[in-house]
Amino acid sequence: MTVDSPVGSNAAILSVRDLSKHFSGIHALENVTADISRGRMHGLIGPNGSGKSTFFNLVSGVLPPSAGSIRLNGEDISAAGAIKIAKQGVARTFQGGLIVPTLSCIENTMLGFGSHLRWPLISAMFRLPIRAERQEREARERARALLEIVGLEDQSERWAGELVWVQRQQLQIARAMASEPSLLLLDEPTAGMGAAETEEIEAIIRRINESGVTIMLVSHDVDLVARLSDDITVLMYGEKISEGKPGEVLADPRVQEAYLGA
Ligand code: ADP
Ligand code: MG
């Protein structure tokens, strides 16, 4: 008997059940249930304000859910908080790009390391005597390797504040990868970019996914999401209105209506 591989809790790295988030009357997310398969690329789309960033905020522990559950590798992380969830292998980038402009690219990347590798950076920031030269060297080498993955190896000593927009997004991805995540959440990584820059980011995302990292991708660029994703979930007014393979989802009348109506 042939059975399509079920998207059950065993295959899923992330499972959310009846997930809701309310902000004083606003139903940002309402009873969303979804499974994210291990190793895949999963797109999350929907019109502006449909709850995509809120979904990421809940899964990464930045905000607590109002109701429902979030399981990572089968373990309930609904109330775990951002630090614990990051330690368990979830990393993210932020819509709009969160970098420290007065630190170099390599130092921004080092901010993504666990405390042991972050120490040399902290000691440098506060002009403390360097206690562990070997640790510092190791951290910088690892950060440089991450910058290479995102194509910023030539910029490692530049202040992040000097980077152009696409490079800031590349840097955010390098920092997110510094924690060696098993699940990477990318929120609008190509916002405001032209075709050439989008292609550059697309190639980086693809490479990271091929290296075994499960990726959830939020983007207003439906074509980009369709090209990259194995599966797509569509939100509208906080509710899931469609889910499946890119071709099925884009052909779904509910999805077409959601985008035309937006
Ligand atoms: P998307 O990322 O899909 O554009 P969001 O998740 O950012 O949508 O927002 C979904 C809804 O929740 C919007 O109506 C937004 O204004 C609201 N919202 C999001 N975050 C907050 C917050 N921290 N406080 C109040 N309302 C919020
Ligand atoms: Mg958003």
Side-chain angles (χ1 to χ4, degrees):
M1 191 173 74
T2 14
V3 183
D4 282 344
S5 77
V7 186
S9 52
N10 283 339
I13 185 168
L14 179 74
S15 296
V16 306
R17 292 290 173 271
D18 301 315
L19 194 61
S20 297
K21 181 67 183 178
H22 302 157
F23 297 105
S24 54
I26 298 170
H27 292 202
L29 219 54
E30 190 66 8
N31 287 322
V32 172
T33 289
D35 288 302
I36 310 306
S37 304
R38 194 181 307 282
R40 309 276 273 274
M41 184 103 65
H42 195 112
L44 183 62
I45 61 173
N48 261 341
S50 57
K52 306 180 296 295
S53 294
T54 299
F55 186 95
F56 277 6
N57 285 336
L58 299 186
V59 168
S60 60
V62 170
L63 296 172
S66 303
S69 70
I70 308 169
R71 285 179 177 275
L72 181 71
N73 296 310
E75 191 188 326
D76 195 320
I77 57 160
S78 315
I83 293 170
K84 187 150 178 251
I85 291 173
K87 279 194 182 138
Q88 294 192 20
V90 179
R92 67 174 292 183
T93 62
F94 289 84
Q95 186 174 4
L98 197 70
I99 56 166
V100 184
T102 53
L103 290 179
S104 70
C105 290
I106 212 160
E107 289 164 342
N108 266 279
T109 306
M110 287 162 75
L111 288 174
F113 289 146
S115 52
H116 141 86
L117 281 174
R118 208 158 40 215
W119 168 249
L121 173 63
I122 293 163
S123 71
M125 281 167 74
F126 292 98
R127 306 272 187 273
L128 300 175
I130 294 168
R131 293 173 191 200
E133 271 183 55
R134 192 185 54 79
Q135 262 190 24
E136 158 119 31
R137 231 184 7 252
E138 189 187 323
R140 285 187 177 267
E141 269 164 29
R142 276 185 52 190
R144 201 162 277 129
L146 288 160
L147 288 173
E148 208 171 315
I149 290 174
V150 300
L152 285 182
E153 62 275 17
D154 298 339
Q155 313 292 329
S156 57
E157 302 303 332
R158 266 182 91 187
W159 281 19
E162 296 174 349
L163 298 181
V164 298
W165 181 245
V166 60
Q167 293 173 321
R168 288 176 191 231
Q169 290 295 330
Q170 287 167 281
L171 182 56
Q172 270 215 86
I173 295 173
R175 184 183 49 204
M177 287 300 292
S179 59
E180 296 179 10
S182 49
L183 175 62
L184 176 62
L185 312 175
L186 299 174
D187 198 350
E188 299 284 4
T190 66
M193 289 181 198
E197 294 166 325
T198 299
E199 229 168 79
E200 211 167 306
I201 297 287
E202 182 175 351
I204 293 164
I205 295 173
R206 210 182 280 281
R207 265 204 311 278
I208 291 171
N209 182 236
E210 281 167 3
S211 79
V213 178
T214 308
I215 292 181
M216 276 197 85
L217 172 64
V218 160
S219 178
H220 65 287
D221 185 342
V222 175
D223 291 336
L224 173 77
V225 176
R227 283 199 299 276
L228 282 170
S229 301
D230 300 296
D231 308 284
I232 297 179
T233 298
V234 188
L235 297 177
M236 184 160 154
Y237 298 124
E239 292 184 38
K240 184 169 95 174
I241 59 163
S242 186
E243 190 169 61
K245 303 286 157 217
E248 299 162 12
V249 164
L250 297 187
D252 186 335
R254 284 168 300 183
V255 176
Q256 294 180 351
E257 198 180 318
Y259 274 90
L260 287 176

